[in-house]
Amino acid sequence: MKKPIRVAVTGAAGNIGYSLLFRIAAGDMFGPDQPVILQMLEITPALSALKGVAMELEDCAFPLLYDMVLTDDPNVAFRDANWALLVGAKPRGKGQERKDLIRDNGPIFVGQGRALNENAAADIRVVVVGNPANTNALIAMSNAPDIPNERFTAMTRLDHNRAINQVAKKAGVHVTDVQRIIIWGNHSATQVPDITHALVKGQPAPQVINDDEWVRNEFIPTVQQRGRAIIEARGHSSAASAANALIDHVRSWALGTPEGDWVSMAVPSHLGDYGIPEGVIFSYPVVCKDGNYEVVNGLEHPDWVKPLIERTAQELLEEREAIKDLLNP
Ligand code: NAX
């Protein structure tokens, strides 16, 4: 049997956790012959709910689920972890400003960054989902000085998958016919979904779609606002699709991207050559192989896209400014 992979999941009793854990245990993340150990972190008041989730996991009798750890201590959750999926965070309250959410959630990632630094396995890889995901990833990275910076990522794969779906619908093709979509920047309403370099059935997407008006005034805002539209329709924020995107993010990173395609991941900005200021976590196109990723560099932006990219970079700088006291000097 392969050695089990230790996967730490924070916020494990939350909505995304409930969709995520069962799929990891079923083999969707690392493949059908890779055993896993789930190391689940919750805040103390949610430990009882977490126990219920663990009971259900037991009742699935998953062949690949080797062991489980349930805890409210990040040092225990991250001990020898190979992967850390940082989902847990406080949701944005009604009418709450984004900058207040940053101040609420930022401190969580100071403690978790330190706990990762002290406890995780040498090959630890981190994905932050809890919002504001990019800036929380920056905080965790900064507080884990012994872990290479490029091991810290934030998830923009849900936005990427949403963009694929919009393009496939518009072009009247199946989602598997759409490649090389890009999400640039922040996982927020300033993100830049981009089809400039995308392919539809191997042909340049802008030519196939041939509707600039749609790209600028429908495609981009629809993807940017999709999270809000889900909340309006369902009464709750995206959970199953977020969990699915996290499965995709980790699977791509661990097992590689298909030849000729790429995915979007928010990674330390200095890894890209697009003139983004250093010291933020910025979503770029990446290709993955053998557990590593590389930013796809050297793509040209059309003139009208450049200010959009500057704006999302500017927002990340503002977020960094708002939590600069939480960064390790
Ligand atoms: P829930 O509120 O259902 O679950 C969050 C869980 O985290 C709760 O069980 C809570 O007890 C736990 N938690 C809070 N503080 C914690 C801490 N310090 N340590 C461990 N656990 C802690 O939210 P859910 O719908 O699961 O969403 C989780 C996060 O994902 C939110 O921040 C949300 O904004 C974010 N999202 C990010 C997305 C992305 O694409 N990057 C999309 C989906 C989602 O909106």
Side-chain angles (χ1 to χ4, degrees), residues 250-267:
V250 172
R251 199 182 48 218
S252 294
W253 192 354
L255 305 179
T257 39
E259 194 63 40
D261 203 359
W262 59 55
V263 296
S264 301
M265 261 164 71
V267 304

Side-chain angles (χ1 to χ4, degrees), residues 53-81:
V53 176
M55 288 161 68
E56 283 202 73
L57 281 160
E58 286 176 344
D59 292 348
C60 293
F62 283 120
L64 295 173
L65 183 54
Y66 195 78
D67 201 1
M68 287 190 274
V69 174
L70 285 67
T71 181
D72 57 1
D73 180 351
N75 292 302
V76 174
F78 297 146
R79 193 158 298 148
D80 300 325

Side-chain angles (χ1 to χ4, degrees), residues 168-296:
K169 278 215 294 209
K170 173 74 176 170
V173 299
H174 190 63
V175 285
T176 51
D177 294 325
V178 180
Q179 294 173 308
R180 298 194 185 182
I181 287 287
I182 304 172
I183 304 295
W184 301 98
N186 200 3
H187 167 70
S188 77
T190 68
Q191 65 176 264
V192 186
D194 184 11
I195 69 156
T196 308
H197 309 280
L199 301 174
V200 172
K201 291 200 165 177
Q203 302 302 310
Q207 286 172 29
V208 175
I209 286 173
N210 196 21
D211 187 348
D212 271 3
E213 180 66 19
W214 176 82
V215 173
R216 293 184 200 203
N217 299 328
E218 278 194 51
F219 167 71
I220 292 179
T222 299
V223 176
Q224 288 173 331
Q225 299 296 335
R226 186 72 165 181
R228 183 183 298 256
I230 302 278
I231 293 174
E232 273 165 23
R234 211 174 80 88
H236 299 285
S237 62
S238 325
S241 56
N244 179 69
L246 183 50
I247 298 267
D248 284 351
H249 179 117
V250 172
R251 199 182 48 218
S252 294
W253 192 354
L255 305 179
T257 39
E259 194 63 40
D261 203 359
W262 59 55
V263 296
S264 301
M265 261 164 71
V267 304
S269 51
H270 70 270
L271 299 173
D273 72 354
Y274 295 95
I276 306 303
E278 284 197 15
V280 294
I281 304 289
F282 197 88
S283 182
Y284 291 119
V286 303
V287 291
C288 308
K289 199 178 171 196
D290 301 330
N292 296 310
Y293 65 83
E294 250 178 55
V295 173
V296 178

Side-chain angles (χ1 to χ4, degrees), residues 90 96-110 131-132 135-136 139 318-327:
K90 289 184 209 157
Q96 190 181 25
E97 292 286 328
R98 194 176 167 81
K99 61 178 188 319
D100 297 331
L101 183 75
I102 291 179
R103 291 303 316 175
D104 264 4
N105 282 337
I108 296 174
F109 294 84
V110 174
N131 277 321
T135 297
N136 289 338
I139 296 170
E318 287 162 15
E319 289 186 10
R320 185 179 69 183
E321 183 61 23
I323 51 78
K324 64 173 188 256
D325 58 309
L326 303 179
L327 301 177

Side-chain angles (χ1 to χ4, degrees), residues 9-18 40-47 49 71-72 74 78 86-92 101 105 107-109 112 127-134 136 154-159 162 187 191 227 231 234 236-243 245-246:
V9 178
T10 74
N15 282 311
I16 295 176
Y18 196 67
M40 298 176 279
L41 179 71
E42 259 299 347
I43 52 174
T44 314
L47 281 178
T71 181
D72 57 1
F78 297 146
L86 307 186
V87 179
K90 289 184 209 157
R92 190 159 159 176
L101 183 75
N105 282 337
I108 296 174
F109 294 84
Q112 292 187 356
V127 190
V128 178
V129 175
N131 277 321
N134 301 49
N136 289 338
M155 186 174 94
T156 50
R157 187 63 170 269
L158 179 54
D159 311 297
R162 287 167 171 166
H187 167 70
Q191 65 176 264
I231 293 174
R234 211 174 80 88
H236 299 285
S237 62
S238 325
S241 56
L246 183 50

